[in-house]
Amino acid sequence: MSDDKYKDLIVYFNGEFVPWYEANVHIFSPAVKYGASVFEGIRSYYNEEQGKAYLFRLKEHMERIEFSQRVMRFAEIAPAGPLCEATIELMRRNNFKISAHIRPTVYLDGAGESSARSPIGQFITAVPRGTPEKVKKGVRAQVSSWERISDRCMPARAKANANYNNSRYAGIQASIDGYDAAIMLNSRGKVSEGQGMCIFMIRNGVAVTPSVTNDVLESITRDTVIVLLKEMGIEVQERDVDRSEFYDASEAFFCGTGWEVTPINDIDGSPIGDGKPGDLTKKLQKAYFDVVTGVTEDTRGWLTEV
C-alpha cells in the first residue's frame, strides 16, 4: 500500500504529534541497523450504529510492550500509562470513522552498536484497516520447514521486531508454495504458532492450542479466545501439539490482532473437517466480533472508547 494513502495521518513521535512524513528514525540507529525495537499491534473497531470507536485491550498491550522492553534489556523503559494516553489522543486527532490498526513502537535511538541499551525513542502509528476477506473464507496453511526460534536463542515471548525475520521466511515460503499461511514447529518438533499468529484446533470437541512454553508469543488475542471458548462451554487444553493431530481435527483456526479469528480450511493440502470454516469457529468469530465492536456489554474492561 502506498504511503500516499497515509500522507494526511498524524503520528505520535517522541512526545509530539507530527505529520506522517515528519516521523523519521535515523539510518544509523540500532533500531535500523539491528532491529533493536519492540512493538505492539492493537485494533480499534468502529461501531457504525453507535458512532463509537473502541480500542481493544489497550492496557494489556501496553503492559506487554513494557515487558518486551525489559526482555530486550533496554536501559530506559517507556511506561504503559503514557503510551495508552498518547494512543487515545492519536486516535482522536486522526478522527477515524472506520476500524484501524495501531502500532506503538519503542526503539533504540542514537548511534550505538548492537549492545547499546539507550537512548530509546518511541512512536505510535494508526492506519485504517478493516477485516480481511480471508477471515470469512478461511485459509490454506503449510507446515513450514523453517523452525520457530527457541527461547534459548531469542525470546519469542517478547514482541521484538527482529524476531519477525524468523516468521517472515516461513510466510514467504508458504506464499511461494501456493499457501496463504505458515505453521511453524519448534526445536522439539511440536507445533508452535503461525507466522505472527497463534493456532487452535478442535479435536473430539476439545479446543487444543500449544502451551506458552512452546516458543509462542503470549498472545492477548489467544487469551481472549480461551476466555470466549470457555464461556461457550468448550473445554480448552494448552499443551504440546503434534502436527499429525491436525489429521484428526474437525476444525482449526489462527488468531491474533491482525488475523482476528481466521479459519484454516486445509493444512499441507489435507482438508480440515469438510474443508471450509466450521460451525464452532463461526460461532467463536461472532462472539469475538460482538465483543470487540461493543455489541456485547463490556463486563471485563477490555474496551477503551475513543
Side-chain angles (χ1 to χ4, degrees), residues 37 41 44 60 63 76 78 80 85 119 123 131 135 142 154 169 171 176 183 185 205 210 237 245 255 261 272 289 296:
S37 52
S44 170
E60 290 92 333
E63 288 173 345
E76 308 169 51
E85 294 170 4
F123 60 82
T131 294
V135 174
Q142 175 190 62
M154 294 176 72
Y169 279 115
I176 289 171
I183 297 169
L185 308 181
Q237 294 180 357
E245 292 187 66
C255 72
V261 178
I272 301 294
F289 284 111
T296 300

Side-chain angles (χ1 to χ4, degrees), residues 234-252:
I234 304 300
E235 179 186 348
V236 179
Q237 294 180 357
E238 300 177 65
R239 59 170 175 81
D240 286 356
V241 178
D242 290 320
R243 63 184 292 182
S244 60
E245 292 187 66
F246 286 114
Y247 292 108
D248 192 39
S250 58
E251 301 182 37

Side-chain angles (χ1 to χ4, degrees), residues 90-101:
L90 178 68
M91 292 298 293
R92 287 174 178 156
R93 291 185 182 226
N94 280 303
N95 193 30
F96 291 118
K97 302 298 182 184
I98 190 173
S99 296
H101 186 272

